[in-house]
Amino acid sequence: MRVQLQTFGWLLVAFGSFVKSEAADELQEANDTICTINVDGIESCYPRIFQATNEFQNILPGQHVPPELHIRIDMQTGQRQARLMPAANHGQPEEIEVVEANVAQNEQKVLAAAPQSAHNDRMQELVNLVLETGSRLVDRSADKQLEQSLEELKDIVYDPKQAERLMNTPGALSALLSIGSPAHRPVSWSLDARRLASIIVGTMVQNSPDLQSKAHRAGAVPALIRMLRDEVDAKTAGKHVFALSALTRGHALALEQFVQLDGLRIVSSINPLESTVFRGENESAKLDTRIVRFIEDVLNPEFNPRIPSTSASVISQFASVWCTTLASRLANSLEDVDTDAHSERPTHERRLTYLHSLELLRQAYSDTCTLTSDFKSWVRNELARVKHSNDDEYNQALANFYEQNK
């Protein structure tokens, strides 16, 4: 008996080691990948370690660049690029070039090997301008200069080091939030300036828990909720949603603050397609899609496994309400067919977004996300309506949803 127990104990230890190894492998795989969300709410993932070749490639946000590579910086965009060091220079210290775009000839001219300080000096000039602008009244004559500076700053903060530098500059985040606010008194800055300010905030913090934490402690979440609530331009509101998503995605404290400030209700109450505030059907549809994707991220347990129980309860209750809202919007959508400009094939992009989010809710909150018999009938009838359409993606998604929920 003792031998049997001892053998069983060894098996348990071995199994535990196997499980730990599996978990470690999964964690390592997750840590080896960076995922970002762009201003359109589209997610893209890429390796955390830069994979160098003989050709220059863009260094993506958050990527670690191995030593002994040939690195250059395009001063027009602030974009860093890298490649393998040419064979003749192999083993030499890292080389940095500053590259300027020749717009007239659509060529690139290598100015000279220059230190990183040239890039840093320009960064400081832009930060100083943002600090000065964010602390004074709106000057309409300064709109263009501000927009150009923010556009340049937006490209530079894709570099994680520059993003950290911007965040650590006292008053920089506050200035950006002030510029982006539609409630700026007595008047707000231009639409382009407001959009760029929110894009910079979102770009600066995404994929960086440390910068997310600093932005959270500096009050970025409540500021962006107010900005989104007061915004009257659909395209600009979409940039505020992007910044909120970047701040809260995977960050438990920022997400908890968003939930406790009634952020879910405020965001979900914005129905761009029925709003009398927003103008422009195309931009309103894009904003609607961004909002649905953002709320989908908040409700996705895989993205927020460490959310405190109090907020998790609020999220679960909201999931039931949002489930009903999505079903209603899907069934009552006035959009029948959009035309893809490239292929001229019919698409149902917005309905696909609703359908995918509704399916996630059904899987994650099966107890609270219930579908009425009327909605199930609508799904059956809609499937018959589009059965012979050319939109294969919508047709297949609808068929899968029907089979899993009939």
Side-chain angles (χ1 to χ4, degrees):
M1 174 64 72
R2 180 175 298 176
V3 172
Q4 289 178 335
L5 287 174
Q6 188 174 23
T7 302
F8 181 67
W10 288 341
L11 288 174
L12 282 177
V13 170
F15 179 73
S17 299
F18 172 76
V19 171
K20 288 181 180 178
S21 176
E22 288 268 295
D25 289 344
E26 291 180 4
L27 180 61
Q28 181 62 41
E29 183 177 352
N31 288 338
D32 286 345
T33 303
I34 293 176
C35 292
T36 63
I37 305 174
N38 68 11
V39 292
D40 292 323
I42 306 300
E43 182 181 62
S44 61
C45 298
Y46 49 84
R48 184 175 296 277
I49 305 298
F50 179 80
Q51 306 295 313
T53 67
N54 290 325
E55 302 295 329
F56 277 111
Q57 301 176 79
N58 289 342
I59 300 171
L60 301 176
Q63 279 191 314
H64 171 71
V65 182
E68 297 185 357
L69 293 184
H70 183 180
I71 298 176
R72 70 181 186 184
I73 303 167
D74 188 333
M75 287 302 291
Q76 287 288 100
T77 65
Q79 178 65 57
R80 295 195 307 157
Q81 300 175 324
R83 69 176 180 183
L84 293 172
M85 189 71 72
N89 298 326
H90 184 70
Q92 296 295 317
E94 180 185 272
E95 177 185 350
I96 301 177
E97 291 179 343
V98 178
V99 178
E100 181 180 41
N102 187 330
V103 179
Q105 300 179 10
N106 194 27
E107 297 176 348
Q108 284 189 330
K109 177 178 63 176
V110 177
L111 297 180
Q116 182 74 22
S117 59
H119 195 55
N120 291 340
D121 289 345
R122 182 55 182 157
M123 173 74 169
Q124 190 59 55
E125 291 177 13
L126 296 172
V127 172
N128 289 341
L129 187 142
V130 168
L131 289 170
E132 178 188 351
T133 303
S135 62
R136 61 183 170 88
L137 295 178
V138 174
D139 179 0
R140 287 269 83 94
S141 65
D143 274 342
K144 287 302 177 185
Q145 181 188 11
L146 176 60
E147 291 165 12
Q148 292 170 0
S149 298
L150 290 172
E151 184 71 45
E152 191 174 349
L153 186 60
K154 178 198 74 173
D155 293 331
I156 291 178
V157 295
Y158 276 104
D159 181 341
K161 292 182 180 178
Q162 301 299 341
E164 184 176 6
R165 181 181 176 191
L166 179 60
M167 178 63 78
N168 290 336
T169 301
L173 178 62
S174 177
L176 286 168
L177 294 171
S178 176
I179 293 170
S181 173
H184 196 293
R185 296 291 181 264
V187 293
S188 59
W189 287 101
S190 69
L191 291 175
D192 281 342
R194 301 212 306 269
R195 292 166 190 163
L196 287 164
S198 282
I199 291 173
I200 291 170
V201 172
T203 302
M204 181 169 55
V205 302
Q206 71 173 351
N207 275 311
S208 174
D210 179 51
L211 299 189
Q212 282 178 310
S213 294
K214 290 180 179 179
H216 162 248
R217 292 195 297 269
V221 172
L224 281 163
I225 291 176
R226 291 193 297 270
M227 289 160 63
L228 182 59
R229 182 194 62 198
D230 297 336
E231 189 54 69
V232 295
D233 177 76
K235 186 174 182 178
T236 310
K239 311 312 178 192
H240 302 332
V241 173
F242 162 67
L244 265 175
S245 177
L247 276 163
T248 58
R249 197 170 199 250
H251 195 280
L253 292 178
L255 180 59
E256 181 184 26
Q257 185 182 38
F258 173 77
V259 172
Q260 296 304 320
L261 290 174
D262 207 19
L264 279 168
R265 184 194 62 79
I266 292 171
V267 174
S268 65
S269 67
I270 302 173
N271 187 346
L273 301 175
E274 296 183 2
S275 172
T276 59
V277 175
F278 299 121
R279 297 289 183 268
E281 181 178 351
N282 187 42
E283 290 301 334
S284 294
K286 287 181 180 179
L287 174 59
D288 180 61
T289 299
R290 290 183 185 117
I291 287 174
V292 172
R293 285 173 175 159
F294 171 52
I295 295 179
E296 178 183 317
D297 277 358
V298 173
L299 297 180
N300 191 340
E302 294 182 6
F303 291 163
N304 307 294
R306 295 182 298 276
I307 190 71
S309 58
T310 51
S311 294
S313 175
V314 174
I315 289 175
S316 180
Q317 293 172 21
F318 176 81
S320 175
V321 176
W322 187 241
C323 180
T324 302
T325 300
L326 276 180
S328 175
R329 289 190 186 182
L330 183 58
N332 297 319
S333 172
L334 297 178
E335 175 204 46
D336 284 327
V337 173
D338 279 342
T339 300
D340 187 305
H342 300 291
S343 65
E344 295 188 353
R345 295 181 62 186
T347 64
H348 300 77
E349 180 179 357
R350 196 160 71 247
R351 289 188 177 186
L352 266 172
T353 301
Y354 293 156
L355 201 60
H356 289 158
S357 293
L358 194 56
E359 181 57 33
L360 181 142
L361 286 176
R362 290 284 295 154
Q363 293 175 2
Y365 302 93
S366 57
D367 293 340
T368 56
C369 180
T370 56
L371 303 177
T372 65
S373 56
D374 287 345
F375 180 73
K376 291 181 180 179
S377 296
W378 178 88
V379 174
R380 184 173 60 252
N381 295 334
E382 177 71 356
L383 185 59
R385 184 183 76 83
V386 301
K387 187 174 183 179
H388 301 293
S389 77
N390 292 325
D391 191 347
D392 297 334
E393 186 178 5
Y394 179 55
N395 199 332
Q396 187 61 53
L398 199 62
N400 291 341
F401 187 87
Y402 174 72
E403 285 300 320
Q404 294 172 13
N405 297 282
K406 63 180 179 180

